Amino acid sequence: MRLAKIRGFLSLFVFASTCASAATEKQHQLNTVEDVLSESKGGPMDAGAKAGATNSEAVSDKNTVFNDMEVPPMKELTGPDMEKDISKGYWFIKHYSPYCHHCQAIAPTWQTLYEYYHTSKPVSSSKTKDTKTSLNSFDRYYDFHFASIDCIAFGDACSAHDVTAYPTFSLYKESKFVKKFEGHKDMAGLSAFVEETLESIRPGSRPTEGVKLPEAGENAVNMGSKPVAQAKKDKDVAANKAAGEKHKEAASKVDASASAAKPDATETAKTKAPPKSLTKPKKPSTTPNPAGASVALSQESFQKLVTNTQDPWFVKFYAPWCHHCQALAPSWQQMAKELQGKLNIGEVNCDVEVRLCKDVRVKGYPTIHFFRGGERVEYEGLRGLGDLVSYAKKALDVGMGVNYVDAAAFKDLEETEEVIFLYFFDHATTTEDFEALERLTLSLVGHAKLVKTDSKVLAEKFKISTWPRLLVSRDGRPSYYNALSPADMRDFRQVLGWMRSVWLPLVPELTASNSKEIMTRKFVVLGILSRDRADEFVLDKREVKNAALDWMEKQTHAFQLERQELRDSKQLRIEEAEDRADQRALRNAKSIRIDIAEDDKKQVGFAWVDGVFWDRWIRTTYGINVAIDGERVVIIDEDNHRYWDHTVSGAPIVPSRTSILETLPKVISNPPQLSAKSTTGPIKHVLFQARGGMASHPILTLALIILVVAGAYWGKGRIRKTKGNVGGGFFHLDGKEGWLGGHGSVSFGDLFLPTYGSFIGISTTPISTTPSTASRDARSLFTRIKNLFLGTTIGLSLILGYYYVTDTRASIHEWLVIPCLRHFYPDAEDAHDFGNRALKALYSFGVHPRERGYNDAKGDLAVEVFGHTLQNPIGTSGGIDKHCDIPDALLAAGAAIVEIGGVTAEPQHGNEKPRVWRIPSQNALVNRYGLNSEGADHVAMRMRQRVREYAYHMGFGIDEQAEQRVLDGEAGVPPGSLQEGKLVAVQVAKNKWTSESDIEANKRDYVYCVDSLAKYADIVVVNVSSPNTPGLRGLQKTEPLTDILTAVVGAAKKVKRKTPPAVMVKISPDEDGEDDVRGICDAVWDSGVDG
């Protein structure tokens, strides 16, 4: 009885844990491309396709029924308790990743396999159905159990058992590893492994002819029937169209025929219909490319097999008439055979499927794409069989997810990989972070390795202090991805853009596929080496790599020195202005931004090329024959089609650090100190030289262009005048009309042959001028003057218009912009939102309204606030910029103080709409927002991003140390406004659901806001007076107000920066009672707020 109670308790515990896990992860069930696509299309979905964050979601989160018997949920293991849970009996465990599509595909098979064996009877004569109490139950007879473990949630446990791929099936006996399942991951393969193990546990207990297995997703099977023998697969690939339609059926039935030629070769059972509540099509456990053939895809089959599944596909888009496609066809078919059972291979005839190829944006034939889950990456490598197979095998690794490594595994990886992207995570890393990481794998196929770790050893090695963090290790040299906010770590395009800039090795091999990436927009030090000389090849390649490392170290050091010189120059200007007490010069000096980056100048790259394999190209382009001349180095400027192959002394550049490093500075100087050779013909060479000269001297080039245009315009008028003088004449040859015709006559001898005119018999009648010539000249001069006037007027109008429109004092804002806003946005809140968005966009492009000039030269408007001298006493109150979207734009408009907020501890929507109304007669608004806020964390992220961007422009860097330097005042500006003579305040308030009677809860709300926001603000404003928040004004009583303000002041003093922000309190303006006013003053005085 006690044993039954314990088992019942354990079952309840497992069920509760599974349900909780499923509830947590259900929020993310639409995060994959497949989920989004299927949701938008409203298609049916089965439970197996939802394999997600936990195994309970992948299979079943409650008791199921199989063969009319109740089956409890499968055991979901946890890392800390795994050894204890499997300490008794045999355990067959699936190690999986929630993001692995193979794990998602196998989930229905794994669940059905568990249900089948759990309800099976070792002795077939028994009729009892109670598997818990009967001795004739599978679990009690064999002491064999099924379980799963999430390797993303419990990575240490999986790493301890050497799990390197997902899914991995392993057998354990009394918590000790026995062996790993290595067969086909399908119902037949897994069952064969289980049968072999059961036979070893109790010899003679399993049927010799095997067992009748259910299909994945079935809820019943006749266990007494004999199994059906497997049919041989049909290798005929002639009917590609039929293969495309039957691909899913053939892949999901490994025991059955791969084509429709023998439909009765396998007996199939009826499968259970999916529940109506599910919206995705059932995703069976599939074997990729079962027939070893390239499947011809149509629009419909492409949508079904490629777009709406997570299965990887390698697809060729071709045209039958294309001779390149015809040459590729044999290699493509052979590749499909070699990848049988590993990767789906398909092809699309673009002459037939025109719309499909247009949707994929096929621009040439053949075009090859690798697809997975609706995303794709184009294959741009060579098209030989070996290249295609190699790329396809690398692409298969993306289905395994991002592998976990520890310090030892990473060290081994460094010996085989030149470029490794390493993602650091900790216990606080979210599901969204991991999903964003998984998206990157597809784009890295064939380029670099991406792994993740939470190893403390690696964190110390690479000096990681914030998580998550991404870096790249190239030949042991780390480079870091700098994220301003957590959102930047999830920005797929931004992260991928950085990866593309660093995914090449320090000294990559130049190939046809990467040549454009290596050679464009940089000087390239190219080592021309020969693999035929093995010893020299290794030494020369090492010399080129050492030269690259030395050069990068020198450039980094030079960049740091240059940035330090700019900082010192700025500091010197500040000190000089302070000594002269020149406030204007001081402001100008402090406003200097050090905008300098390492990639501002044309970069230098290093590479090597196989001089034997590319012998013809190297000889014809650079005139080097590696077989005769030996290993050489050339420095190439491909943008200008030139190169250098000799040192200063005239000797050839050889693969040596000394030779390379003494020549390189002379080459990259502007202009180069060494004469270059051209890779093109003489005419192109002259054109490229001219382009280089124009780029080097833009002002002189512009002046020359203006002179040429003016000369051409003037010359055109002169030519027109000359034509007018001669256009009316004609020749008289012996009294006959010539072939020019006209109304006058012209003497050919007078024009060209004055001496010999009579000799050749040409009449010498003088030129007659038509009366219209003078009027045409006058019109031509008038036209030129008119065009010049119009062009000048338009140019000046644009310039003056820009200065006028972007001036805050321009009347156009009052008489045009505001009426237009009121007309197009009748709702005042919509107009407010649009105005903020427009101002934010204008500021990002530098065309925002601003205060032009400094009209208060005498300082009559200057006012001192909290030790800061402000330019004027004007400020914007809270409510204009609620979420820190436009503080800089408001400061630029002229306000000396900008107040952000109000901000609450947690996000809240405020009052129901409409909540803002216009009063046109009073030119006023009624505000009933009710403190709508995105929350303190969200606003703090934006305020921190402002500070870090400012630190970057000042040359401090972009990390936490740079941020702290700005907050500590090293930039010479207030840390909130980041501008001299201006301040930024942030208004904080409690959430509306926090009861006014719970003083401790109110204090927590305010203190949380201060902890998050205060270090990025100059002033903290405590709002206890908003009439739109229930119970807020009740906090203006003496005792609660004193407690809240004391807590806020204490939190503000603990802010991590040298000078804490000032604290102010916002009270209601309609407090008339003397006792109320005295109580507020007492609270302000006792708490120590600043105003």
Side-chain angles (χ1 to χ4, degrees):
M1 185 69 179
R2 180 177 297 177
L3 181 61
K5 287 184 177 181
I6 292 174
R7 286 181 175 172
F9 175 79
L10 289 175
S11 299
L12 182 60
F13 175 78
V14 173
F15 175 70
S17 301
T18 307
C19 291
S21 179
T24 301
E25 295 299 333
K26 189 174 182 180
Q27 301 173 6
H28 309 293
Q29 64 185 7
L30 290 178
N31 283 359
T32 63
V33 176
E34 179 188 2
D35 290 333
V36 174
L37 288 173
S38 298
E39 184 71 13
S40 63
K41 294 181 181 181
M45 172 183 64
D46 81 2
K50 282 183 60 179
T54 65
N55 190 54
S56 59
E57 187 178 68
V59 285
S60 176
D61 59 352
K62 59 183 179 180
N63 291 357
T64 57
V65 176
F66 192 89
N67 276 349
D68 298 328
M69 299 172 65
E70 191 171 344
V71 182
M74 188 187 304
K75 177 72 173 178
E76 180 74 10
L77 299 173
T78 59
D81 300 327
M82 178 176 175
E83 301 296 330
K84 179 181 177 182
D85 291 340
I86 65 174
S87 60
K88 295 182 180 180
Y90 289 82
W91 288 83
F92 193 24
I93 300 175
K94 179 182 79 168
H95 306 79
Y96 72 98
S97 163
Y99 314 105
C100 166
H101 72 279
H102 292 300
C103 305
Q104 298 170 12
I106 199 66
T109 302
W110 180 246
Q111 173 67 10
T112 305
L113 184 74
Y114 160 67
E115 294 174 351
Y116 169 76
Y117 277 105
H118 182 83
T119 58
S120 65
K121 302 173 186 177
V123 182
S124 59
S125 60
S126 177
K127 297 181 180 180
T128 179
K129 294 184 178 181
D130 190 353
T131 59
K132 294 182 179 179
T133 59
S134 174
L135 293 175
N136 189 28
S137 67
F138 177 81
D139 293 342
R140 300 187 65 184
Y141 188 79
Y142 291 106
D143 201 10
F144 187 96
H145 313 276
F146 292 81
S148 298
I149 181 169
D150 184 346
C151 290
I152 299 300
F154 306 104
D156 292 338
C158 295
S159 299
H161 293 92
D162 297 328
V163 176
T164 59
Y166 309 122
T168 295
F169 298 89
S170 300
L171 179 67
Y172 298 85
K173 179 182 179 183
E174 297 178 353
S175 74
K176 294 183 179 180
F177 175 78
V178 178
K179 60 180 176 178
K180 185 182 295 185
F181 171 69
E182 301 289 352
H184 288 287
K185 294 181 178 68
D186 51 32
M187 186 70 73
L190 292 169
S191 176
F193 182 83
V194 173
E195 290 294 323
E196 180 184 353
T197 305
L198 298 179
E199 183 66 19
S200 65
I201 297 173
R202 287 183 176 267
S205 62
R206 307 307 296 172
T208 56
E209 69 278 6
V211 293
K212 171 64 176 178
L213 296 174
E215 295 289 335
E218 285 189 335
N219 61 357
V221 68
N222 185 2
M223 295 187 178
S225 61
K226 294 183 179 181
V228 179
Q230 293 185 352
K232 294 183 179 180
K233 295 182 180 180
D234 183 7
K235 300 292 183 178
D236 183 14
V237 297
N240 271 340
K241 284 288 184 180
E245 298 299 329
K246 299 295 182 180
H247 178 78
K248 278 294 180 180
E249 292 78 5
S252 62
K253 302 173 184 178
V254 180
D255 313 35
S257 173
S259 68
K262 300 179 181 180
D264 59 345
T266 302
E267 178 184 340
T268 58
K270 294 182 179 180
T271 58
K272 180 176 68 174
K276 294 182 180 180
S277 60
L278 301 178
T279 57
K280 269 191 181 178
K282 180 179 178 180
K283 181 179 179 181
S285 174
T286 62
T287 298
N289 190 11
S294 178
V295 178
L297 298 170
S298 62
Q299 177 88 25
E300 181 181 354
S301 61
F302 186 90
Q303 187 81 5
K304 178 181 178 182
L305 303 179
V306 181
T307 306
N308 288 348
T309 70
Q310 291 291 332
D311 296 335
W313 278 82
F314 205 22
V315 182
K316 173 186 68 174
F317 297 85
Y318 73 100
W321 46 265
C322 168
H323 66 277
H324 294 294
C325 305
Q326 297 168 5
L328 176 63
S331 299
W332 190 258
Q333 293 295 338
Q334 185 62 34
M335 178 192 65
K337 292 181 181 179
E338 294 193 16
L339 295 176
Q340 181 177 0
K342 299 177 181 178
L343 178 65
N344 295 312
I345 309 297
E347 55 188 49
V348 176
N349 185 347
C350 290
D351 280 357
V352 178
E353 305 296 339
V354 179
R355 176 63 182 274
L356 175 58
C357 294
K358 184 178 180 181
D359 292 342
V360 183
R361 297 180 181 177
V362 175
K363 298 181 180 179
Y365 305 118
T367 296
I368 303 173
H369 284 281
F370 180 80
F371 291 86
R372 188 192 66 177
E375 297 184 5
R376 69 176 186 266
V377 61
E378 185 173 357
Y379 172 72
E380 297 178 340
L382 300 177
R383 294 169 183 170
L385 177 60
D387 300 296
L388 292 170
V389 173
S390 175
Y391 178 87
K393 289 181 178 179
K394 291 178 181 178
L396 283 174
D397 292 338
V398 304
M400 301 300 179
V402 181
N403 292 331
Y404 175 88
V405 296
D406 54 15
F410 184 78
K411 184 177 181 180
D412 295 338
L413 199 61
E414 283 185 309
E415 296 178 358
T416 58
E417 299 288 339
E418 291 185 293
V419 182
I420 307 170
F421 287 98
L422 183 60
Y423 183 87
F424 285 89
F425 68 93
D426 63 354
H427 65 281
T429 306
T430 64
T431 304
E432 289 86 352
D433 292 320
F434 284 118
E435 289 175 349
L437 180 67
E438 292 290 340
R439 286 192 64 193
L440 297 170
T441 55
L442 189 63
S443 300
L444 294 177
V445 174
H447 293 288
K449 190 78 173 177
L450 174 62
V451 294
K452 62 186 175 185
T453 185
D454 59 355
S455 169
K456 294 182 179 179
V457 177
L458 291 176
E460 293 177 0
K461 175 182 177 181
F462 293 107
K463 300 178 182 179
I464 301 299
S465 58
T466 58
W467 288 263
R469 194 71 188 274
L470 180 64
L471 64 84
V472 60
S473 175
R474 297 190 292 173
D475 295 311
R477 179 187 176 96
S479 299
Y480 299 86
Y481 170 67
N482 292 316
L484 293 176
S485 65
D488 291 338
M489 290 297 297
R490 305 180 193 127
D491 191 330
F492 171 77
R493 296 187 182 278
Q494 182 174 329
V495 175
L496 183 58
W498 173 78
M499 284 183 159
R500 283 173 174 165
S501 67
V502 295
W503 67 18
L504 287 175
L506 291 180
V507 185
E509 180 183 4
L510 185 69
T511 63
S513 58
N514 65 12
S515 59
K516 184 177 180 181
E517 186 176 6
I518 292 175
M519 305 287 279
T520 307
R521 295 188 298 275
K522 65 182 72 170
F523 292 99
V524 178
V525 179
L526 183 64
I528 302 173
L529 311 180
S530 173
R531 283 196 174 98
D532 293 344
R533 307 181 182 100
D535 296 337
E536 293 181 10
F537 173 76
V538 174
L539 293 175
D540 292 340
K541 185 178 177 182
R542 185 182 303 164
E543 281 292 309
V544 175
K545 182 174 292 187
N546 291 336
L549 293 172
D550 290 349
W551 175 261
M552 291 177 183
E553 290 291 343
K554 291 180 180 180
Q555 291 301 107
T556 301
H557 183 63
F559 168 74
Q560 293 173 349
L561 288 178
E562 183 179 1
R563 187 167 59 181
Q564 187 60 45
E565 288 177 0
L566 293 175
R567 290 179 185 169
D568 295 342
S569 176
K570 177 181 177 180
Q571 185 61 32
L572 183 60
R573 289 172 178 264
I574 293 174
E575 292 174 357
E576 290 178 352
E578 290 175 345
D579 293 342
R580 298 195 308 266
D582 188 342
Q583 294 298 321
R584 177 178 293 183
L586 182 61
R587 283 193 299 270
N588 292 337
K590 289 182 177 180
S591 64
I592 295 175
R593 290 193 173 187
I594 303 175
D595 293 328
I596 178 174
E598 290 187 78
D599 55 355
D600 287 344
K601 300 177 182 178
K602 193 167 183 177
Q603 296 297 297
V604 176
F606 291 78
W608 68 275
V609 65
D610 187 344
V612 176
F613 185 82
W614 297 101
D615 174 68
R616 182 178 178 183
W617 171 68
I618 293 171
R619 281 191 292 105
T620 55
T621 306
Y622 306 114
I624 297 174
N625 187 337
V626 71
I628 300 174
D629 302 327
E631 284 76 5
R632 295 288 182 87
V633 172
V634 292
I635 303 175
I636 306 168
D637 180 12
E638 185 64 23
D639 295 338
N640 295 306
H641 295 262
R642 55 183 180 172
Y643 70 96
W644 295 261
D645 59 356
H646 284 79
T647 64
V648 180
S649 62
I653 309 175
V654 296
S656 164
R657 275 185 294 181
T658 304
S659 180
I660 294 173
L661 295 179
E662 75 177 5
T663 308
L664 191 53
K666 304 290 191 300
V667 169
I668 67 172
S669 61
N670 190 15
Q673 299 177 15
L674 296 177
S675 59
K677 298 180 180 179
S678 177
T679 59
T680 61
I683 297 178
K684 285 188 176 180
H685 180 61
V686 170
L687 292 176
F688 281 115
Q689 280 191 328
R691 189 180 71 173
M694 293 169 63
S696 303
H697 306 283
I699 298 178
L700 182 61
T701 302
L702 180 61
L704 182 62
I705 292 174
I706 293 175
L707 288 176
V708 171
V709 172
Y713 200 73
W714 178 81
K716 180 181 178 182
R718 297 294 299 172
I719 293 173
R720 185 182 299 157
K721 182 177 180 180
T722 303
K723 286 183 177 179
N725 289 338
V726 302
F730 65 97
F731 293 132
H732 280 284
L733 300 177
D734 295 332
K736 297 180 181 179
E737 286 192 358
W739 29 265
L740 289 180
H743 300 287
S745 61
V746 61
S747 172
F748 194 88
D750 289 342
L751 291 176
F752 301 106
L753 301 172
T755 305
Y756 304 104
S758 59
F759 174 76
I760 59 177
I762 301 177
S763 66
T764 57
T765 307
I767 298 174
S768 64
T769 304
T770 63
S772 62
T773 302
S775 61
R776 280 200 300 269
D777 291 342
R779 285 197 303 270
S780 177
L781 178 62
F782 175 77
T783 301
R784 289 198 294 271
I785 295 174
K786 180 182 68 174
N787 292 342
L788 178 63
F789 176 79
L790 289 176
T792 305
T793 303
I794 293 172
L796 289 176
S797 299
L798 291 175
I799 295 174
L800 294 176
Y802 166 78
Y803 277 91
Y804 174 77
V805 172
T806 57
D807 192 339
T808 56
R809 294 176 175 82
S811 58
I812 189 175
H813 302 299
E814 179 181 1
W815 301 108
L816 179 62
V817 176
I818 299 302
C820 287
L821 275 177
R822 291 174 177 172
H823 175 74
F824 293 106
Y825 293 92
D827 184 82
E829 184 175 351
D830 293 340
H832 180 197
D833 293 339
F834 174 80
N836 283 5
R837 292 196 306 270
L839 199 56
K840 184 177 181 180
L842 292 173
Y843 185 84
S844 66
F845 289 103
V847 291
H848 57 285
R850 69 202 72 187
E851 186 182 35
R852 295 198 177 277
Y854 189 69
N855 300 323
D856 187 29
K858 296 181 180 181
D860 295 335
L861 297 177
V863 60
E864 186 171 347
V865 177
F866 300 138
H868 298 275
T869 301
L870 304 186
Q871 296 176 1
N872 58 68
I874 307 300
T876 63
S877 64
I880 296 178
D881 185 14
K882 286 180 168 291
H883 314 303
C884 190
D885 290 317
I886 51 172
D888 296 310
L890 293 177
L891 289 171
I897 297 180
V898 170
E899 186 177 2
I900 298 170
V903 183
T904 56
E906 296 180 16
Q908 66 180 30
H909 295 293
N911 296 329
E912 296 294 328
K913 295 181 180 181
R915 51 194 180 185
V916 184
W917 299 270
R918 295 190 180 103
I919 307 179
S921 61
Q922 303 296 321
N923 200 24
L925 289 173
V926 175
N927 167 21
R928 293 286 187 270
Y929 272 118
L931 282 175
N932 56 312
S933 172
E934 294 179 356
D937 292 338
H938 193 93
V939 176
M941 179 185 69
R942 291 181 177 174
M943 297 183 75
R944 179 180 64 185
Q945 184 170 347
R946 285 183 67 243
V947 174
R948 291 199 175 186
E949 288 179 345
Y950 182 84
Y952 178 78
H953 289 299
M954 294 297 293
F956 293 153
I958 202 169
D959 54 6
E960 292 180 357
Q961 290 77 12
E963 173 189 330
Q964 193 61 43
R965 293 180 64 180
V966 175
L967 296 179
D968 288 340
E970 292 187 29
V973 294
S977 66
L978 305 176
Q979 297 183 33
E980 182 66 18
K982 298 188 177 183
L983 299 176
V984 164
V986 59
Q987 181 191 121
V988 298
K990 77 178 187 70
N991 285 106
K992 63 182 180 181
W993 52 76
T994 304
S995 174
E996 62 175 316
S997 60
D998 191 349
I999 302 302
E1000 292 301 319
N1002 284 279
K1003 287 165 59 177
R1004 284 196 297 271
D1005 278 3
Y1006 284 102
V1007 170
Y1008 185 87
C1009 291
V1010 173
D1011 291 340
S1012 303
L1013 302 166
K1015 65 179 179 179
Y1016 304 113
D1018 303 311
I1019 305 170
V1020 176
V1021 180
V1022 182
N1023 183 358
V1024 291
S1025 66
S1026 173
N1028 300 316
T1029 302
L1032 188 60
R1033 289 195 174 185
L1035 300 178
Q1036 293 184 152
K1037 297 178 181 179
T1038 306
E1039 292 183 3
L1041 183 59
T1042 303
D1043 291 342
I1044 291 173
L1045 293 181
T1046 302
V1048 170
V1049 171
K1053 290 181 178 179
K1054 296 178 182 178
V1055 169
K1056 187 181 177 183
R1057 75 185 201 200
K1058 288 184 178 180
T1059 305
V1063 178
M1064 302 183 71
V1065 58
K1066 176 188 174 186
I1067 60 175
S1068 174
D1070 52 3
E1071 294 293 335
D1072 299 325
E1074 183 177 352
D1075 292 337
D1076 295 335
V1077 174
R1078 182 180 294 109
I1080 292 173
C1081 293
D1082 291 340
V1084 170
W1085 182 264
D1086 294 338
S1087 61
V1089 300
D1090 300 289

